[in-house]
Amino acid sequence: MRKVVILGGGYGGTASVNELIEQQLPHDVSILLVDRMPFQGLKTEYYALAAGTVSDLELRVKFPNDPRVQYAYGEITGIDMENELVMVEGHEPISYDWLVIGLGCTDKYHGIEGAEQFSTSIQTFSASRRTYAQLNDVKPYGQVTIVGGGLSGVEVAAELRESRPDLNIRILDRGPSVLSAFPGRLQNFVADWFMEHQVEMRGHVALTRLEQGQLYDANSSESIFTDVTVWTAGIQPVELVQRIDLPKDNQGRLILNAYHQLPAYTNVYVVGDCASLPFSPSGQAAGAQGKQITEVLQAIWHDKTPRLGKIKLKGVLGSLGKKSGFGLMGGTPILGRVPRLVKSGVLWRSKRHLG
């Protein structure tokens, strides 16, 4: 049997599995998905898990149950592309004929001293649960600081405000405002929501050091007090991908050819946050890329030349609690209850493997 091994059961890896089993798989090809956990975690909703407004059970999606798909669970410790082997903790080396790397991302701390030790994360399922435990233990009227005013930071702050109205919540960002990469109208809408709900916003903060309970800003002589610090100030590929000595872009993501393959190893594909793509990492982009990878594999198996279209993203959606939200569709901002309802619909479809 020839084997497709998929590393990571996130949006890209799961999309690849679903597309492969929906099509006619060659009789001599099997699929093996390797992940730490026996389910997909809906990462775009980890902010709600951390804030305590949903249980972890609500964010688990079962992997496909199909006789053509096998599973191996454990920490992936290495990839030997020369010998076509994957090392997984607790397993013998796993051989492959085609490999899909979809291992996601980890926090990027920008070399700031103490950032990793004295902040908490929402990048993984287990990290989000630990963050929930820390936030849940903050005493009434305590101070929570969220570093990073992008989409993740905004959603954590808004959801936490709904979960814990007693807390003091602030967002720090290097830029002038939250969501500085978005149109001004959208920025203003979110800023107004935060002011109405008493979430403090501080721009032009350049952190130099974190300690237990204290943050230090290069632009201020006074330290910033905090009980818990949530880090949402940037991402990078996971450490295993960082170790791969192949060409990468300035974000550390692996450079691919037009078929999502590593140019030096064309039987190895990279999907999602580890792949150098012309747009920002997202679950939507990873899912679209995962589908295209299956198109390439099907073409190879049928001795055809792959013909891939351009990946077109539908837009961005964000939530402000359970009743309001924001989005950007084709460059047009949408604000209020409608984008929140749309996001709920997208989540419903994701739980059912409908895209």
Side-chain angles (χ1 to χ4, degrees):
M1 290 289 288
R2 297 179 295 169
K3 189 188 300 179
V4 180
V5 175
I6 299 172
L7 306 182
Y11 291 101
T14 303
S16 297
V17 172
N18 284 325
E19 288 294 310
L20 284 170
I21 62 178
E22 284 178 8
Q23 302 174 29
Q24 189 168 356
L25 203 64
H27 65 87
D28 65 337
V29 173
S30 65
I31 303 168
L32 175 66
L33 176 65
V34 185
D35 199 276
R36 282 190 296 246
M37 303 301 293
F39 54 82
Q40 177 193 1
L42 292 177
K43 188 171 184 178
T44 57
E45 305 301 306
Y46 284 177
Y47 70 91
L49 175 59
T53 57
V54 301
S55 71
D56 59 1
L57 187 61
E58 294 178 67
L59 301 186
R60 299 180 192 176
V61 179
K62 292 180 180 179
F63 289 137
N65 182 15
D66 190 284
R68 295 165 294 178
V69 184
Q70 296 178 307
Y71 296 93
Y73 303 116
E75 192 73 33
I76 300 162
T77 58
I79 302 172
D80 181 351
M81 296 183 196
E82 294 294 335
N83 295 301
E84 299 179 339
L85 294 172
V86 176
M87 274 57 75
V88 181
E89 198 173 78
H91 295 263
E92 292 295 317
I94 297 171
S95 63
Y96 64 85
D97 295 279
W98 299 275
L99 181 68
V100 180
I101 301 174
L103 294 173
C105 62
T106 187
D107 289 295
K108 187 172 184 177
Y109 295 104
H110 309 283
I112 298 172
E113 181 185 347
E116 184 172 5
Q117 297 94 315
F118 299 109
S119 69
T120 187
S121 171
I122 61 167
Q123 287 305 324
T124 66
F125 207 96
S126 57
S128 299
R129 287 191 290 199
R130 290 193 296 271
T131 297
Y132 163 70
Q134 289 192 35
L135 293 174
N136 191 56
D137 287 344
V138 177
K139 294 179 180 179
Y141 312 108
Q143 178 68 61
V144 173
T145 302
I146 297 158
V147 180
L151 180 61
S152 295
V154 163
E155 291 191 308
V156 170
E159 202 76 8
L160 186 60
R161 169 52 73 225
E162 192 163 278
S163 172
R164 291 285 305 270
D166 58 291
L167 294 178
N168 295 298
I169 302 170
R170 72 162 69 95
I171 298 182
L172 308 181
D173 197 83
R174 293 180 66 92
S177 66
V178 296
L179 299 177
S180 56
F182 288 77
R185 182 174 165 226
L186 192 153
Q187 290 181 45
N188 293 336
F189 177 82
V190 173
D192 288 345
W193 192 95
F194 278 152
M195 285 188 282
E196 180 184 348
H197 292 82
Q198 298 180 317
V199 175
E200 178 189 358
M201 296 167 285
R202 286 197 201 179
H204 300 296
V205 175
L207 292 178
T208 58
R209 187 169 86 256
L210 276 67
E211 295 178 356
Q212 184 64 49
Q214 301 289 335
L215 315 177
Y216 295 88
D217 175 16
N219 299 322
S220 174
S221 59
E222 295 183 359
S223 65
I224 301 170
F225 167 78
T226 186
D227 286 303
V228 172
T229 301
V230 183
W231 194 269
T232 64
I235 59 173
Q236 60 185 339
V238 294
E239 194 267 339
L240 186 148
V241 170
Q242 293 176 37
R243 297 201 313 261
I244 295 175
D245 187 18
L246 289 172
K248 297 171 182 171
D249 64 16
N250 57 11
Q251 301 297 317
R253 300 177 298 187
L254 288 160
I255 293 174
L256 310 176
N257 64 19
Y259 302 123
H260 310 296
Q261 301 163 332
L262 291 174
Y265 301 92
T266 55
N267 65 334
V268 179
Y269 301 79
V270 185
V271 63
D273 299 339
C274 300
S276 181
L277 300 173
F279 26 72
S280 298
S282 68
Q284 184 184 170
Q289 194 189 7
K291 290 181 180 180
Q292 287 201 345
I293 288 171
T294 65
E295 292 179 36
V296 175
L297 289 171
Q298 287 287 352
I300 290 171
W301 294 332
H302 293 90
D303 295 319
K304 296 180 179 178
T305 301
R307 296 183 181 276
L308 300 180
K310 184 178 180 181
I311 291 178
K312 295 181 180 179
L313 303 184
K314 296 178 180 179
V316 179
L317 292 168
S319 68
L320 295 170
K322 293 291 187 285
K323 297 181 180 178
S324 187
F326 54 90
L328 197 60
M329 300 294 171
T332 302
I334 53 173
L335 310 169
R337 193 166 182 82
V338 170
R340 188 64 185 90
L341 291 171
V342 173
K343 185 173 183 185
S344 295
V346 170
L347 179 61
W348 185 91
R349 290 176 59 86
S350 293
K351 287 181 177 180
R352 291 155 181 82
H353 296 296
L354 298 174

